Amino acid sequence: MAAHPVVFLLQLWFALCGPAPTGAAKMKVVEEPNAFGLNNPFLPQTSRLQPKRDPSPLTGPAHLFRLSGKCFSLVESTYKYEFCPFHNVTQHEQTFRWNAYSGVLGIWHEWEITNNTFMGMWMRDGDSCRARSRQSKVELTCGKNNRLAHVSEPSTCVYALTFETPLVCHPHSLLVYPTLPEALQQRWDQMEQELADELITPQGYEKLLRELFEDAGYLKAPGENEPTQQEGATRGLGTETLENCNKARSELSEEIQRLTSLLNQHGIPYGRPTAETSHSEHLAQQSPIDVTSEQLRGDPGLRGTIL
Ligand SMILES: *[C@@H]1O[C@H](CO)[C@@H](O)[C@H](O)[C@H]1NC(C)=O
Ligand SMILES: *[C@@H]1O[C@H](CO)[C@@H](O)[C@H](O)[C@H]1NC(C)=O
């Protein structure tokens, strides 16, 4: 049986507004042309690596900027990993095979901030990995020397690196607040006051704080800094703005109401396969409407259960 219009509209909404990575992962994406030649043995090693874009500017604690332009490597089993702070992470297969793999595991993108502390550096938009790009999170920890200490791949094409450096040993060395320009510090102070006075909710505060970090350049707004080679068609869904989605959602909600009242008006049961209609009259009166109104409230927690 074909999907019911209401079900279809819901699916459409989830397709438009669902979490971007899921949407993108389902999409069939043609391998980017620049993947060709990556492992071409006739090209010298250096020109085989093709970064998709330039790194983000230097941001964050200024005392770390001295790491920029340096690279630190670690050989683990058959791979050499190289971390160039504020630039990139690359991988080089240690073999004499003609088609040894070398690749970009990420380009400097943004900070990971937890508890108002710089916790790590996100390097994204590395070489294609199925429908996605490889990416790496580099955790900064205190150590005697600058050293790439550990590399793992906790999930496919997402790499976790640990970089040890004496530059982060002081307990205050990674605090976000002191690195901000005065105007943003004042904005943050004011937000704290408004939170204390309960003029904003904790969620509102979190949202404003994220915006503040974006304005400081520490975090990137979703969709910012995208490599230009990416096809707009596949990326477009992920970069839909919240406003667009909310607008689409209320339009769909009206349409669902119109359709359900039309169905009720004509006494047409809906929401269950036809085989069950005989004994699902009662359910049809309630559950589909309940489900849609629940979903349309936009609780993201419910999305997962439907998909
Ligand atoms: C990675 O960064 C280093 C250091 O800035 C640079 O020399 C190198 O060309 C970069 N590699 C790629 C593939 O972008
Ligand atoms: C957050 O940071 C503060 C001070 O920087 C520290 O005292 C506290 O334990 C941290 N909390 C968590 C959950 O890491």
Side-chain angles (χ1 to χ4, degrees):
M1 178 189 161
H4 188 275
V6 173
V7 175
F8 170 73
L9 284 171
L10 276 176
Q11 284 169 344
L12 182 65
W13 178 60
F14 290 128
L16 285 169
C17 308
T22 320
K26 278 193 196 142
M27 234 30 89
K28 216 173 176 178
V29 174
V30 179
E31 200 65 22
E32 276 126 294
N34 73 1
F36 289 108
L38 255 185
N39 294 319
N40 184 333
F42 302 109
L43 289 173
Q45 181 80 13
T46 46
S47 58
R48 283 196 222 170
L49 297 175
Q50 302 225 337
K52 287 183 187 169
R53 60 164 171 83
D54 291 333
S56 298
L58 288 181
T59 59
H63 68 286
L64 298 183
F65 294 174
R66 75 187 72 170
L67 295 173
S68 170
K70 298 185 179 158
C71 296
F72 306 89
S73 59
L74 172 68
V75 177
E76 214 165 73
S77 63
T78 55
Y79 286 103
K80 182 173 122 187
Y81 297 89
E82 196 158 55
F83 167 51
C84 307
F86 300 103
H87 283 79
N88 57 51
V89 173
T90 53
Q91 183 187 42
H92 311 268
E93 195 179 356
Q94 305 295 92
T95 168
F96 294 107
R97 283 195 303 125
W98 66 273
N99 59 347
Y101 174 78
S102 276
V104 179
L105 304 187
I107 302 164
W108 164 233
H109 184 74
E110 65 177 354
W111 284 100
E112 161 96 5
I113 298 177
T114 313
N115 194 17
N116 305 327
T117 306
F118 294 103
M119 300 299 288
M121 305 180 88
W122 273 107
M123 322 290 272
R124 305 193 209 265
D125 300 316
D127 286 345
S128 297
C129 170
R130 302 193 197 136
R132 307 232 202 150
S133 294
R134 289 168 208 270
Q135 57 177 326
S136 306
K137 184 166 120 177
V138 185
E139 189 197 351
L140 304 176
T141 62
C142 170
K144 256 186 174 166
N145 304 298
N146 291 327
R147 182 170 88 94
L148 182 57
H150 186 68
V151 178
S152 64
E153 191 178 353
S155 66
T156 313
C157 299
V158 178
Y159 302 82
L161 284 70
T162 306
F163 180 67
E164 290 180 359
T165 173
L167 297 174
V168 304
C169 293
H170 190 281
H172 295 173
S173 62
L174 291 174
L175 291 182
V176 175
Y177 188 90
T179 65
L180 289 168
E182 204 181 322
L184 290 180
Q185 287 184 343
Q186 284 172 3
R187 202 167 113 194
W188 196 341
D189 296 343
Q190 198 183 335
M191 283 161 48
E192 292 289 346
Q193 188 62 55
E194 285 171 7
L195 179 67
D197 296 345
E198 296 184 8
L199 293 173
I200 51 174
T201 62
Q203 292 94 319
Y205 170 85
E206 288 302 323
K207 186 167 169 280
L208 290 174
L209 194 56
R210 173 158 184 114
E211 282 169 11
L212 190 149
F213 293 158
E214 284 173 11
D215 290 347
Y218 301 160
L219 301 180
K220 297 287 172 189
E224 210 182 319
N225 222 346
E226 300 256 313
T228 42
Q229 291 109 309
Q230 287 279 4
E231 285 303 322
T234 53
R235 279 290 177 138
L237 292 176
T239 57
E240 281 283 338
T241 64
L242 193 59
E243 288 91 320
N244 283 350
C245 271
N246 285 335
K247 189 159 162 284
R249 189 179 64 181
S250 68
E251 281 170 11
L252 288 174
S253 156
E254 282 170 21
E255 183 65 2
I256 287 168
Q257 276 182 2
R258 194 183 67 79
L259 288 168
T260 49
S261 70
L262 205 63
L263 290 166
N264 285 334
Q265 201 181 325
H266 294 275
I268 302 169
Y270 53 90
R272 288 278 178 277
T274 34
E276 277 177 51
T277 13
S278 53
H279 60 90
S280 68
E281 292 276 326
H282 173 70
L283 279 175
Q285 294 300 319
Q286 295 191 337
S287 55
I289 295 167
D290 288 345
V291 168
T292 48
S293 59
E294 279 295 310
Q295 292 298 330
L296 289 170
R297 225 174 281 147
D299 182 350
L302 285 168
R303 266 185 222 163
T305 62
I306 272 261
L307 289 177

